[in-house]
Amino acid sequence: MNILISSTSGEPIYAQIVAQIRQLILQGELVSGTPLPSIRQLAKELQISVITTKRAYEELEREGLINSIVGKGSFVSGADQEFIKEQRLRMLELKLKEIIDESRMLGLNYAELTDMLKLLYEEEQE
């Protein structure tokens, strides 16, 4: 498992870890039952705090993506991929609602917001 941490990103380190492990699971690169590195091992590899790694694993567990067993470690859960996708869609909807609220406060209309979204979406595909 190759996790890259960016110190220049505005995103907290634990959130970067969560996002990358989540992506590996949703893409099927980490399948049900796959063991994850121990909290201490991952912290050592990434040269970060054990507390940060623990927070990332706790978040993944809350999302139902991993299971942690005391004395054995953390493993990719056997959660249904559709269930996981549905959870992610709910989170996306919340973020989009925040974006809509912010755009309204800025006085953007629907067309301006969709133009901005389209531009950013197409820019990311290049």
Side-chain angles (χ1 to χ4, degrees):
M1 184 168 62
N2 189 20
I3 295 177
L4 302 173
I5 301 299
S6 170
S7 58
T8 58
S9 168
E11 188 175 29
I13 293 172
Y14 86 91
Q16 292 179 50
I17 295 168
V18 169
Q20 291 178 53
I21 292 176
R22 181 189 302 123
Q23 184 175 7
L24 292 170
I25 293 170
L26 293 176
Q27 290 175 341
E29 292 182 40
L30 291 176
V31 296
S32 177
T34 302
L36 298 177
S38 72
I39 290 171
R40 290 184 193 281
Q41 180 184 354
L42 186 60
K44 184 177 179 182
E45 287 175 14
L46 298 176
Q47 298 179 340
I48 60 172
S49 163
V50 171
I51 295 168
T52 301
T53 308
K54 185 176 189 300
R55 184 172 179 188
Y57 277 28
E58 287 171 346
E59 179 66 27
L60 290 164
E61 199 163 5
R62 268 193 297 279
E63 290 183 20
L65 295 171
I66 69 170
N67 296 317
S68 296
I69 303 167
V70 177
K72 295 199 181 220
S74 298
F75 303 86
V76 176
S77 80
D80 178 20
Q81 292 296 325
E82 283 301 313
F83 172 74
I84 293 169
K85 184 177 179 181
E86 188 62 34
Q87 284 184 310
R88 299 296 305 143
L89 285 171
R90 273 200 327 256
M91 291 175 77
L92 178 61
E93 287 173 2
L94 291 173
K95 290 178 181 180
L96 286 171
K97 285 179 183 179
E98 288 178 26
I99 291 168
I100 291 168
D101 291 343
E102 184 70 21
S103 68
R104 285 181 176 150
M105 285 192 289
L106 291 170
L108 295 177
N109 63 36
Y110 178 76
E112 292 169 322
L113 179 61
T114 55
D115 286 345
M116 184 183 293
L117 179 62
K118 182 179 178 188
L119 178 70
L120 291 171
Y121 188 85
E122 290 171 352
E123 185 178 283
E124 288 295 314
Q125 289 184 332
E126 293 174 2

